[in-house]
Structures are given as structure tokens and as C-alpha cells.
């Protein structure tokens, strides 16, 4: 425990070829088909004006907060600090980060 802060029960799931919203639609269909409990997924929309550049889907599953996001790469134009995002590889996603923890 760093800084004596409580440990979060947090899981991040990273997808390589679809968005979190697309993936969670598959989960929901599978749950219905197989008689499993409905999971409530919440979509947190991207909002570049507030530096939120990636749509995220989140759910509480048991005691865990689970986030679903896609791997991405970023490119910048000369006149903006806001990146253009594309699907990326694990390497491209890692290289765009300033610091990666728990990878």
C-alpha cells in the first residue's frame, strides 16, 4: 500500500479490436442466452473538451469495479494538444503513456 491509501477493488480490461461498448453488448447477449444475471453497464462518453479522450464502459461486478477500454494509439496535429485516437497495438498503447503501473 503506497501512501497508506486504501486498496481499490478495480479491474481494467483492455480490448484490442473493439470498443468497451461493443464488447459489453456481447457479454449482455451471452448472459441472456445462458441464463446469467444481468449486469448493468454504464458508458462514460468521451469528452475532449474536458480531456476525456476515450469512451469507457464500467460495471460493478460483485465487489469489483470493472472498466472496459480499447488499446489505442494517438497522433497530434501541429495546432492542437488534443490527440486523434485510433485502435492501437499493445506496444503503441504502452508507448503513449507517461507511466504505466500494473501492466
Amino acid at each position: 500500500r503506497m501512501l497508506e491509501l486504501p486498496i481499490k477493488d478495480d479491474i481494467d480490461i483492455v480490448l484490442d479490436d473493439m470498443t468497451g461498448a461493443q464488447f459489453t453488448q456481447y457479454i449482455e447477449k451471452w448472459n441472456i442466452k445462458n441464463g446469467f444475471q444481468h449486469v448493468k453497464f454504464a458508458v462514460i462518453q468521451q469528452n475532449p473538451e474536458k480531456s476525456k479522450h476515450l469512451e469507457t464502459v464500467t460495471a460493478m461486478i460483485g465487489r469489483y469495479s470493472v472498466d472496459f477500454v480499447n488499446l489505442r494509439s494517438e497522433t497530434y496535429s501541429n495546432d492542437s494538444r488534443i490527440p486523434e485516437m485510433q485502435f492501437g497495438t499493445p506496444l503503441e498503447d504502452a508507448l503513449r503513456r507517461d507511466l504505466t503501473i500494473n501492466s
Side-chain angles (χ1 to χ4, degrees):
R1 288 177 49 172
M2 293 177 60
L3 305 175
E4 298 301 316
L5 297 174
I7 297 172
K8 290 175 51 178
D9 293 330
D10 178 47
I11 299 171
D12 295 330
I13 297 178
V14 182
L15 307 161
D16 66 350
D17 65 350
M18 68 180 71
T19 66
Q22 292 167 327
F23 182 73
T24 55
Q25 288 175 358
Y26 285 109
I27 293 173
E28 190 60 30
K29 288 177 186 175
W30 189 91
N31 281 347
I32 291 168
K33 178 181 174 186
N34 293 287
F36 282 87
Q37 178 180 351
H38 171 75
V39 175
K40 183 174 177 172
F41 296 104
V43 177
I44 302 166
Q45 297 292 334
Q46 66 182 21
N47 186 350
E49 290 78 36
K50 303 249 180 180
S51 293
K52 174 74 175 127
H53 303 293
L54 179 67
E55 174 186 273
T56 304
V57 177
T58 188
M60 287 300 297
I61 301 175
R63 66 183 183 119
Y64 297 98
S65 171
V66 183
D67 292 340
F68 301 87
V69 297
N70 57 280
L71 293 170
R72 63 195 188 275
S73 66
E74 297 176 343
T75 55
Y76 293 85
S77 64
N78 290 333
D79 61 347
S80 177
R81 293 180 47 199
I82 298 174
E84 293 291 325
M85 292 196 313
Q86 303 82 33
F87 281 96
T89 66
L91 178 60
E92 289 169 327
D93 191 80
L95 291 174
R96 68 174 187 75
R97 298 175 183 275
D98 294 327
L99 174 67
T100 302
I101 298 174
N102 295 333
S103 309

